[in-house]
């Protein structure tokens, strides 16, 4: 008889690695199955850095979840001794009525999050940003960046230390659920468990085809540039997002790898639809030129020399809110998908939420916004 697990987790990227850790730490027997290697660069959780912030312009309903996420970021650091999340502050620039500035301010005010508001002169005095006179910035004190590959590998290490069985380069071919439990089939064999957690990222449309949510996978490019001068100043930068009057958001990070490592920049949401198994990973010269021209007009010294680029995948839900909860047709199957390009800062919290849902079918955290059934009918 094969070993029967309490829970099988399919997909050990950001969300799945954290779920496996929380479940194993609670004493559950866990099998984690991943189609690629640990902390690989073919999904959504690679590229060195991810913005972490609390003054959530997208919707203040995310803030209580982020307050708990911060506790858990610290807990994982304390348990592992690994610095996964670095606080740098966060600068959100634009006209006062942009979604970014208006939304961050109102979330910060509603939840009493530490922040300052800078006018155009103050922004120009402190940063090399060519803002126009009608632009302002929200400077959020407790924002920063997380390191995605290190976060995934640390959660995997902690899960294994708590007894989880983790199998890599073992793609799941199919799964089924009955009242008695779940069965999962891979090339290496069949496995059984009481519960199933599906955290397949950009592969969710094929792994959970009957979810009833039209998820769209989008190719997004990350760019690294060498600043022209004053690289030391860029090392001290906060993370930043700048929304132009057309609603396009550009964001960037401090130069975290010293003067030669360059600084990472990207647009938020301007990718093309793709399929995770046929992504064009080659970044074209016209894509590099476009962002370089855009940045040089606004932050002249930042994007002097192109260093490298990488493709990454967003998995967008129709309303860009996450899709997390019990599978509509199987109450012993939990799904977490559709993180729509803004999920990473929630990774430790999602581990706790998914462990709650797998154990009890419910969680104390306010995740009503993410109900998979919201698109039914
Ligand atoms: C360019 C870019 C920038 C981003 N910036 C930010 C940011 O600044 N801040 C932020 O909060 N978020 C950001 N995000 C979003 C965030 O990174 C994602 O929401 C998050 O990584 C999603 O995690 P996931 O676990 O759903 O997906 P992944 O980490 O990709 O994990 C899914 C895993 O499932 C595995 N899998 C799939 N199918 C199978 C199968 N059949 N069998 C076995 N394994 C399978 C995959 O191989 C993969 O490892 C960004 C994303 C990108 C691409």
């Amino acid at each position: 008889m094969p070993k029967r697990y309490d829970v099988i987790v399919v997909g050990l990227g950001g969300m799945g690695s954290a779920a496996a850790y929380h479940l194993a730490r609670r004493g559950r027997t866990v099998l984690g199955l991943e189609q690629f290697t640990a902390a690989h660069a073919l999904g959504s959780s690679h590229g060195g850095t991810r913005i972490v912030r609390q003054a959530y312009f997208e919707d203040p309903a995310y803030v209580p979840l982020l307050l708990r996420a911060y506790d858990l970021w610290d807990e994982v650091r304390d348990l592992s001794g690994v610095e996964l999340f670095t606080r740098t502050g966060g600068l959100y620039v634009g006209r006062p009525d942009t979604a970014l500035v208006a939304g961050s301010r109102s979330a910060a005010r509603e939840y009493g999050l530490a922040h300052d508001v800078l006018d155009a002169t103050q922004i120009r005095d402190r940063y090399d940003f060519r803002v126009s006179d009608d632009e302002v910035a929200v400077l959020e004190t407790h924002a920063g960046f997380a390191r995605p590959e290190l976060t995934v590998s640390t959660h995997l290490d902690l899960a294994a230390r708590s007894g989880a069985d983790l199998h890599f380069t073992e793609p799941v071919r199919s799964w089924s659920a009955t009242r008695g439990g779940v069965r999962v089939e891979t090339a290496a064999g069949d496995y059984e468990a009481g519960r199933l957690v599906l955290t397949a990222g950009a592969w969710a449309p094929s792994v959970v085809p009957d979810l009833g949510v039209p998820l769209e996978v989008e190719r997004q490019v990350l760019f690294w540039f060498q600043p022209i001068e004053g690289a030391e100043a860029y090392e001290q930068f906060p993370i930043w997002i700048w929304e132009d009057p057309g609603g396009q958001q550009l964001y960037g990070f401090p130069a975290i790898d010293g003067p030669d490592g360059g600084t990472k920049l990207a647009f938020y949401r301007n990718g093309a639809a793709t399929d995770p198994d046929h992504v064009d990973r080659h970044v074209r010269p016209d894509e590099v030129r476009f962002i370089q021209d855009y940045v040089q007009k606004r932050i002249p010294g930042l994007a002097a020399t192109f260093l490298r680029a990488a493709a990454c995948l967003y998995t967008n839900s129709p309303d860009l809110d996450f899709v997390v909860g019990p599978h509509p047709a199987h109450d012993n199957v939990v799904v977490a998908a559709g993180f729509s390009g803004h999920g990473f800062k929630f990774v430790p919290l999602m581990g706790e939420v998914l462990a709650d849902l797998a154990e009890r079918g419910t969680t104390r955290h306010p995740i009503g916004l993410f109900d998979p059934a919201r698109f039914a009918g």
Side-chain angles (χ1 to χ4, degrees):
M1 277 288 284
K3 176 173 175 183
R4 186 184 156 102
Y5 290 90
D6 293 328
V7 186
I8 296 175
V9 179
V10 175
L12 297 176
M15 308 304 163
S17 62
Y21 156 60
H22 279 268
L23 284 160
R25 196 185 65 163
R26 294 178 189 188
R28 302 290 159 181
T29 55
V30 176
L31 171 65
L33 296 168
E34 166 57 47
Q35 63 181 345
F36 300 132
T37 53
H40 62 87
L42 299 170
S44 305
S45 300
H46 59 280
T49 45
R50 287 290 184 275
I51 289 181
V52 179
R53 56 194 160 83
Q54 291 183 325
Y56 224 57
F57 70 86
E58 291 91 336
D59 188 332
Y62 283 85
V63 178
L65 298 169
L66 286 161
L67 297 173
R68 176 63 183 154
Y70 271 47
D71 293 343
L72 291 168
W73 279 112
D74 290 346
E75 190 181 290
V76 181
R77 177 201 57 208
D78 294 346
L79 281 170
S80 64
V82 183
E83 186 73 43
L84 302 174
F85 169 23
T86 305
R87 267 88 158 167
T88 60
L91 187 74
Y92 317 133
V93 185
R95 289 186 183 160
D97 61 349
T98 50
L100 174 67
V101 171
S104 313
R105 276 180 98 164
S106 81
R109 263 194 250 117
E110 186 174 337
Y111 285 94
L113 306 173
H115 70 289
D116 283 319
V117 178
L118 310 182
D119 64 22
T121 311
Q122 289 169 311
I123 299 169
R124 289 186 207 115
D125 284 351
R126 289 197 210 175
Y127 309 99
D128 177 25
F129 282 37
R130 292 213 176 146
V131 290
S132 54
D133 291 341
D134 60 354
E135 287 182 302
V136 299
V138 177
L139 181 58
E140 180 180 10
T141 312
H142 300 296
F145 65 87
R147 297 179 183 265
E149 293 89 342
L150 205 54
T151 301
V152 172
S153 59
T154 299
H155 276 119
L156 292 174
D157 286 349
L158 292 174
R161 249 200 256 166
S162 293
D165 287 342
L166 306 176
H167 297 188
F168 297 94
T169 58
E170 189 173 339
V172 168
R173 287 181 178 161
S174 68
W175 60 269
S176 60
T178 61
R179 278 188 185 285
V182 301
R183 253 187 117 80
V184 171
E185 189 217 336
T186 73
D190 289 349
Y191 304 96
E192 290 183 358
R195 303 288 170 115
L196 185 60
V197 174
L198 299 174
T199 43
W203 289 264
S206 55
V207 172
V208 218
D210 52 350
L211 184 59
V213 181
L215 296 172
E216 190 175 89
V217 178
E218 209 180 318
R219 171 184 176 273
Q220 296 286 342
V221 181
L222 298 164
F223 299 87
W224 285 261
F225 286 96
Q226 184 65 55
I228 195 165
E229 56 183 3
E232 274 163 55
Y234 292 117
E235 283 172 53
Q236 303 308 318
F237 250 46
I239 60 94
W240 55 271
I241 311 174
W242 189 344
E243 181 169 332
D244 71 20
Q248 175 68 67
Q249 295 177 353
L250 175 79
Y251 64 91
F253 295 84
I256 61 165
D257 298 318
D260 299 329
T263 169
K264 192 179 97 176
L265 306 166
F267 288 114
Y268 192 31
R269 310 193 185 295
N270 72 339
T274 187
D275 157 339
D277 293 318
H278 303 96
V279 183
D280 183 1
R281 306 232 168 231
H282 169 72
V283 177
R284 301 183 310 272
D286 64 288
E287 294 180 283
V288 176
R289 247 186 338 265
F290 184 80
I291 193 165
Q292 193 168 18
D293 287 351
Y294 185 99
V295 176
Q296 283 176 347
K297 277 183 210 131
R298 292 166 174 82
I299 315 168
L302 195 56
T305 312
F306 171 65
L307 295 177
R308 65 196 167 95
C312 178
L313 301 173
Y314 283 5
T315 309
N316 295 329
S317 75
D319 56 12
L320 304 177
D321 289 319
F322 309 155
V323 179
V324 180
H327 187 291
H330 310 286
D331 54 17
N332 47 6
V333 178
V334 177
V335 180
F339 287 95
S340 304
H342 61 121
F344 207 85
K345 59 186 82 58
F346 298 88
V347 157
L349 179 271
M350 278 300 149
E352 181 165 88
V353 164
L354 294 172
D356 290 349
L357 293 174
E359 283 190 321
R360 301 193 295 274
T362 146
T363 177
R364 69 187 164 89
H365 297 298
I367 58 160
L369 192 64
F370 310 148
D371 185 356
R374 70 188 183 276
F375 304 106

